[in-house]
């Protein structure tokens, strides 16, 4: 049995419970808690990470899947953040090429000058009245600066501007009122939750004293330490630490309250997305992200991913104690946006295969409009008690490596220790030795996935170069396809043994893309429930509960109606 299987996970919980202490306790297994965990593990520290749900199941599962500099944040005067983001984007294209890919992005522009007067005002005050559409001049300035930040990496080409005629020649379905297009490169993240898993596995591999537990929640604090609850068994136990890191994303204030500290750091906003199975819209994007502003000034993206079209997003003040869901009004809004850019393409609710929503862990923002709240991050340290609590406020997906390094540096300072390892040039998980050209790819597949046939591409896309270990495991026993060949029995066994799978939902929502692409049918759920029951020793009642739970979650949170 591998050290990350659910059975050994419960054993790991017992071992953390019995030890009763760690040098650092990180609360929250989203990408930022995980990145901090990896950095601390690389310094040789005794570090424990606890996540109350599945890893990367919070805000980290709800992003627009972009690794981007955030050209728009220039308007807020966030030069530090944009520079760091562009550098991190270039770095991730190099260190995690299995999941982070260059993405050609086109902004359709309807006017020459709009927004240009409002922008410098916002720039000075960091707040806004009514947002409005940006014109060509402002976008040109922004993209020129963006290119400047990118110069050192040279990872992506510079931006280009086209007039109406040439724009329509490139994107014929575009609204004929579009005057210009600006095209530049950012990056897309194909499987965020799997990338988070790779960062986590790298942290665990760095050091035997680094341990990570999912389905374990921080629920309180006593003189002896932080009270943790194993959500699988209900058991509570205490772990003391020299430093506690609160990386609970949008729930940071709520976690602090559980730790006995009242804070008002956070002011998260909800953002939703829909995923459409719409071949005509997919073809209209020509493989690009269409990134623009609606007439109300909000940012919109229409974006091909996994043969589907991702459309987002909204930005609405939200209460993190309530589950975030994509509402019917938000869907109407998305349909308006699609019509705004591609007026000839009809969209229908039947074409939505998945919807998702999450809360951005933004800082408290008083009267600043949601779209203009800083996307930068900071740390807050409470050292009023014997164990300091370091709270993370903010932090995008794009900057997770730099954030993990900076948060870990703060922790090392508190511990009076130095840094012994850096993540700056360290490849991530299956990005190590990942073949990027066609020739390298053919050679790599020939050497490591011989006999895998059509599955080679799927395995390489899902695991990067870790695919060689997965394929070796698959070949060691009898294998049968599951979910119309999307996975197989031996591959599922691999996930169970190596990827912290505790529930059926973990596989359907995060270890595979079955939910995202709309392929989690009732039959697929039953088939996977049966396969997992035999791998995990579930009895009939547990198997039924697992299938019911994911059906309900798909219905309530993701708008997927399934026959029970
Ligand atoms: C709609 C939307 C679009 C976005 N698009 C992008 C994008 O395109 N690019 C980009 O770079 N960023 C994007 N972001 C931002 C990015 O997704 C988040 O900022 C990032 O994922 C935050 O990660 P985190 O680890 O800080 O928080 P989270 O991922 O929320 O992790 C916090 C974790 O803490 C856990 N937790 C909470 N309380 C406890 C407790 N008491 N005990 C144990 N665990 C606990 C939660 O279960 C959760 O998993 C987007 C966000 C949203 C919502």
């Amino acid at each position: 049995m591998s050290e990350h299987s659910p059975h050994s996970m419960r054993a790991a919980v017992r071992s953390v419970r019995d030890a009763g202490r760690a040098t650092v306790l990180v609360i929250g297994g989203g990408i930022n808690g995980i990145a901090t965990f990896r950095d601390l593990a690389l310094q040789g520290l005794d570090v424990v990470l606890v996540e109350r749900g599945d890893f990367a199941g919070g805000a980290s599962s709800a992003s627009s899947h972009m690794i981007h500099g955030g050209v728009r944040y220039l308007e807020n005067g966030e030069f530090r953040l944009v520079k760091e983001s562009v550098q991190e984007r270039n770095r991730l294209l190099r260190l995690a090429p299995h999941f982070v890919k260059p993405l050609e992005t086109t902004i359709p522009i309807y006017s020459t000058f709009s927004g240009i007067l409002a922008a410098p005002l916002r720039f000075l005050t960091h707040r806004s009245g009514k947002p409005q559409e940006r014109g060509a001049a402002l976008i040109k300035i922004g993209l020129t600066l963006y290119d400047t930040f990118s110069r050192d990496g040279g990872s992506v080409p510079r931006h280009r501007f086209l007039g109406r005629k040439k724009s329509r020649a490139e994107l014929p379905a575009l609204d004929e009122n579009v005057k210009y297009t600006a095209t530049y490169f950012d990056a897309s993240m194909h499987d965020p939750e799997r990338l988070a898993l790779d960062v986590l596995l790298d942290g665990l591999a760095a050091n035997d004293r680094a341990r990570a537990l999912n389905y374990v929640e921080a629920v309180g604090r006593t003189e002896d330490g932080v009270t943790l609850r194993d959500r699988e068994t209900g058991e509570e136990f205490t772990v003391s630490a020299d430093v506690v890191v609160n990386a609970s994303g949008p729930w940071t204030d709520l976690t602090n309250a559980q730790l006995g500290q009242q804070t008002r750091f956070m002011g998260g906003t909800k953002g939703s997305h829909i995923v459409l199975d719409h071949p005509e819209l997919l073809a209209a994007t020509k493989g690009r992200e269409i990134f623009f502003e609606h007439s109300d000034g909000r940012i919109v993206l229409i974006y091909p991913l996994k043969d589907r079209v991702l459309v987002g997003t909204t930005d609405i003040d939200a209460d993190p104690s309530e589950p975030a869901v994509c509402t019917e009004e938000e869907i109407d809004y998305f349909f308006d946006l699609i019509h705004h850019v591609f007026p000839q393409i009809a969209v229908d609710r039947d074409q939505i295969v998945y919807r998702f929503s999450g809360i951005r862990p933004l800082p408290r923002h008083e009267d600043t409009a949601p779209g203009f709240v800083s996307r930068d991050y900071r740390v807050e340290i409470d050292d009023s008690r014997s164990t300091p609590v370091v709270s993370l406020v903010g932090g995008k997906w794009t900057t997770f490596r730099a954030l993990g390094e900076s948060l870990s540096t703060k922790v090392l300072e508190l511990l009076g220790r130095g840094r012994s390892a850096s993540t700056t040039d360290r490849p991530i998980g299956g990005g190590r030795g990942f073949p990027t050209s066609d020739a390298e790819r053919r050679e790599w597949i020939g050497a490591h996935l011989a006999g895998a046939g059509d599955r080679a591409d799927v395995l390489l896309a899902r695991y990067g170069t870790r695919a060689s270990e997965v394929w070796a495991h698959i070949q060691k026993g009898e294998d049968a396809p599951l979910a119309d060949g999307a996975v197989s029995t031996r591959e599922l066994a691999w996930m169970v043994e190596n990827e912290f799978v505790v529930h059926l939902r973990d596989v359907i929502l995060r270890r595979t893309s079955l939910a995202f692409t709309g392929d989690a049918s009732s039959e697929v759920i039953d088939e996977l429930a049966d396969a997992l029951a035999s791998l995990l020793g579930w009895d009939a009642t547990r198997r039924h509960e697992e299938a019911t739970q994911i059906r309900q979650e798909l219905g309530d949170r993701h708008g997927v109606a399934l026959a029970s």
Side-chain angles (χ1 to χ4, degrees), residues 161-174:
F161 249 78
L162 294 180
R164 191 193 307 258
K165 230 167 138 188
K166 285 192 174 156
S167 299
R168 294 257 300 163
E170 286 195 355
L171 294 164
L174 215 55

PDB file of all heavy atoms in Angstrom, residues 161-174:
ATOM      1  N   PHE A 161      -1.477  44.652 -33.014  1.00  0.00           N
ATOM      2  CA  PHE A 161      -2.771  45.326 -33.187  1.00  0.00           C
ATOM      3  C   PHE A 161      -3.239  45.159 -34.628  1.00  0.00           C
ATOM      4  O   PHE A 161      -2.439  45.289 -35.544  1.00  0.00           O
ATOM      5  CB  PHE A 161      -2.580  46.830 -32.916  1.00  0.00           C
ATOM      6  CG  PHE A 161      -3.253  47.275 -31.676  1.00  0.00           C
ATOM      7  CD1 PHE A 161      -2.679  47.014 -30.444  1.00  0.00           C
ATOM      8  CD2 PHE A 161      -4.476  47.944 -31.720  1.00  0.00           C
ATOM      9  CE1 PHE A 161      -3.295  47.428 -29.272  1.00  0.00           C
ATOM     10  CE2 PHE A 161      -5.097  48.361 -30.556  1.00  0.00           C
ATOM     11  CZ  PHE A 161      -4.509  48.103 -29.332  1.00  0.00           C
ATOM     12  N   LEU A 162      -4.519  44.899 -34.824  1.00  0.00           N
ATOM     13  CA  LEU A 162      -5.043  44.812 -36.182  1.00  0.00           C
ATOM     14  C   LEU A 162      -6.280  45.677 -36.305  1.00  0.00           C
ATOM     15  O   LEU A 162      -7.040  45.832 -35.348  1.00  0.00           O
ATOM     16  CB  LEU A 162      -5.424  43.360 -36.528  1.00  0.00           C
ATOM     17  CG  LEU A 162      -4.312  42.314 -36.615  1.00  0.00           C
ATOM     18  CD1 LEU A 162      -4.895  40.952 -36.960  1.00  0.00           C
ATOM     19  CD2 LEU A 162      -3.272  42.719 -37.663  1.00  0.00           C
ATOM     20  N   GLY A 163      -6.504  46.209 -37.503  1.00  0.00           N
ATOM     21  CA  GLY A 163      -7.721  46.976 -37.779  1.00  0.00           C
ATOM     22  C   GLY A 163      -8.886  46.030 -38.073  1.00  0.00           C
ATOM     23  O   GLY A 163      -8.738  44.808 -38.068  1.00  0.00           O
ATOM     24  N   ARG A 164     -10.029  46.667 -38.383  1.00  0.00           N
ATOM     25  CA  ARG A 164     -11.278  45.918 -38.550  1.00  0.00           C
ATOM     26  C   ARG A 164     -11.167  44.781 -39.579  1.00  0.00           C
ATOM     27  O   ARG A 164     -11.541  43.650 -39.307  1.00  0.00           O
ATOM     28  CB  ARG A 164     -12.361  46.905 -38.980  1.00  0.00           C
ATOM     29  CG  ARG A 164     -13.765  46.340 -38.943  1.00  0.00           C
ATOM     30  CD  ARG A 164     -14.738  47.246 -39.660  1.00  0.00           C
ATOM     31  NE  ARG A 164     -14.714  48.620 -39.202  1.00  0.00           N
ATOM     32  CZ  ARG A 164     -15.620  49.185 -38.378  1.00  0.00           C
ATOM     33  NH1 ARG A 164     -16.608  48.459 -37.931  1.00  0.00           N
ATOM     34  NH2 ARG A 164     -15.524  50.434 -38.045  1.00  0.00           N
ATOM     35  N   LYS A 165     -10.622  45.121 -40.760  1.00  0.00           N
ATOM     36  CA  LYS A 165     -10.636  44.149 -41.854  1.00  0.00           C
ATOM     37  C   LYS A 165      -9.793  42.914 -41.533  1.00  0.00           C
ATOM     38  O   LYS A 165     -10.233  41.772 -41.660  1.00  0.00           O
ATOM     39  CB  LYS A 165     -10.086  44.824 -43.117  1.00  0.00           C
ATOM     40  CG  LYS A 165     -10.992  44.620 -44.312  1.00  0.00           C
ATOM     41  CD  LYS A 165     -10.594  45.538 -45.410  1.00  0.00           C
ATOM     42  CE  LYS A 165     -10.646  44.746 -46.713  1.00  0.00           C
ATOM     43  NZ  LYS A 165     -10.094  45.536 -47.798  1.00  0.00           N
ATOM     44  N   LYS A 166      -8.583  43.187 -41.086  1.00  0.00           N
ATOM     45  CA  LYS A 166      -7.679  42.072 -40.787  1.00  0.00           C
ATOM     46  C   LYS A 166      -8.185  41.267 -39.596  1.00  0.00           C
ATOM     47  O   LYS A 166      -8.014  40.047 -39.532  1.00  0.00           O
ATOM     48  CB  LYS A 166      -6.269  42.587 -40.523  1.00  0.00           C
ATOM     49  CG  LYS A 166      -5.574  42.999 -41.790  1.00  0.00           C
ATOM     50  CD  LYS A 166      -4.099  43.226 -41.572  1.00  0.00           C
ATOM     51  CE  LYS A 166      -3.437  43.487 -42.920  1.00  0.00           C
ATOM     52  NZ  LYS A 166      -2.208  44.241 -42.796  1.00  0.00           N
ATOM     53  N   SER A 167      -8.804  41.965 -38.648  1.00  0.00           N
ATOM     54  CA  SER A 167      -9.338  41.259 -37.477  1.00  0.00           C
ATOM     55  C   SER A 167     -10.410  40.267 -37.905  1.00  0.00           C
ATOM     56  O   SER A 167     -10.440  39.119 -37.474  1.00  0.00           O
ATOM     57  CB  SER A 167      -9.951  42.245 -36.479  1.00  0.00           C
ATOM     58  OG  SER A 167      -8.993  43.148 -36.029  1.00  0.00           O
ATOM     59  N   ARG A 168     -11.287  40.751 -38.801  1.00  0.00           N
ATOM     60  CA  ARG A 168     -12.384  39.879 -39.273  1.00  0.00           C
ATOM     61  C   ARG A 168     -11.837  38.745 -40.136  1.00  0.00           C
ATOM     62  O   ARG A 168     -12.402  37.660 -40.179  1.00  0.00           O
ATOM     63  CB  ARG A 168     -13.414  40.698 -40.057  1.00  0.00           C
ATOM     64  CG  ARG A 168     -14.134  41.706 -39.181  1.00  0.00           C
ATOM     65  CD  ARG A 168     -15.514  41.293 -38.789  1.00  0.00           C
ATOM     66  NE  ARG A 168     -16.358  41.099 -39.954  1.00  0.00           N
ATOM     67  CZ  ARG A 168     -17.502  40.439 -39.929  1.00  0.00           C
ATOM     68  NH1 ARG A 168     -17.924  39.917 -38.792  1.00  0.00           N
ATOM     69  NH2 ARG A 168     -18.222  40.304 -41.018  1.00  0.00           N
ATOM     70  N   ALA A 169     -10.721  38.996 -40.823  1.00  0.00           N
ATOM     71  CA  ALA A 169     -10.129  37.915 -41.630  1.00  0.00           C
ATOM     72  C   ALA A 169      -9.617  36.817 -40.690  1.00  0.00           C
ATOM     73  O   ALA A 169      -9.743  35.627 -40.979  1.00  0.00           O
ATOM     74  CB  ALA A 169      -8.994  38.460 -42.483  1.00  0.00           C
ATOM     75  N   GLU A 170      -9.087  37.215 -39.541  1.00  0.00           N
ATOM     76  CA  GLU A 170      -8.575  36.211 -38.592  1.00  0.00           C
ATOM     77  C   GLU A 170      -9.706  35.541 -37.817  1.00  0.00           C
ATOM     78  O   GLU A 170      -9.655  34.357 -37.522  1.00  0.00           O
ATOM     79  CB  GLU A 170      -7.609  36.867 -37.597  1.00  0.00           C
ATOM     80  CG  GLU A 170      -6.270  37.194 -38.213  1.00  0.00           C
ATOM     81  CD  GLU A 170      -5.215  37.506 -37.162  1.00  0.00           C
ATOM     82  OE1 GLU A 170      -5.532  37.571 -35.959  1.00  0.00           O
ATOM     83  OE2 GLU A 170      -4.049  37.681 -37.565  1.00  0.00           O
ATOM     84  N   LEU A 171     -10.706  36.335 -37.444  1.00  0.00           N
ATOM     85  CA  LEU A 171     -11.812  35.816 -36.623  1.00  0.00           C
ATOM     86  C   LEU A 171     -13.134  36.206 -37.297  1.00  0.00           C
ATOM     87  O   LEU A 171     -13.799  37.165 -36.884  1.00  0.00           O
ATOM     88  CB  LEU A 171     -11.742  36.406 -35.208  1.00  0.00           C
ATOM     89  CG  LEU A 171     -10.543  36.012 -34.354  1.00  0.00           C
ATOM     90  CD1 LEU A 171     -10.396  36.944 -33.154  1.00  0.00           C
ATOM     91  CD2 LEU A 171     -10.678  34.580 -33.845  1.00  0.00           C
ATOM     92  N   PRO A 172     -13.541  35.470 -38.326  1.00  0.00           N
ATOM     93  CA  PRO A 172     -14.694  35.895 -39.126  1.00  0.00           C
ATOM     94  C   PRO A 172     -16.011  35.996 -38.352  1.00  0.00           C
ATOM     95  O   PRO A 172     -16.891  36.752 -38.757  1.00  0.00           O
ATOM     96  CB  PRO A 172     -14.806  34.811 -40.212  1.00  0.00           C
ATOM     97  CG  PRO A 172     -13.515  34.091 -40.202  1.00  0.00           C
ATOM     98  CD  PRO A 172     -12.903  34.257 -38.852  1.00  0.00           C
ATOM     99  N   ALA A 173     -16.142  35.280 -37.250  1.00  0.00           N
ATOM    100  CA  ALA A 173     -17.417  35.318 -36.527  1.00  0.00           C
ATOM    101  C   ALA A 173     -17.551  36.547 -35.622  1.00  0.00           C
ATOM    102  O   ALA A 173     -18.600  36.787 -35.022  1.00  0.00           O
ATOM    103  CB  ALA A 173     -17.580  34.049 -35.697  1.00  0.00           C
ATOM    104  N   LEU A 174     -16.493  37.336 -35.548  1.00  0.00           N
ATOM    105  CA  LEU A 174     -16.486  38.509 -34.651  1.00  0.00           C
ATOM    106  C   LEU A 174     -17.531  39.546 -35.067  1.00  0.00           C
ATOM    107  O   LEU A 174     -17.783  39.747 -36.255  1.00  0.00           O
ATOM    108  CB  LEU A 174     -15.091  39.135 -34.774  1.00  0.00           C
ATOM    109  CG  LEU A 174     -14.457  39.761 -33.557  1.00  0.00           C
ATOM    110  CD1 LEU A 174     -14.409  38.781 -32.386  1.00  0.00           C
ATOM    111  CD2 LEU A 174     -13.022  40.192 -33.906  1.00  0.00           C
TER     112      LEU A 174
END
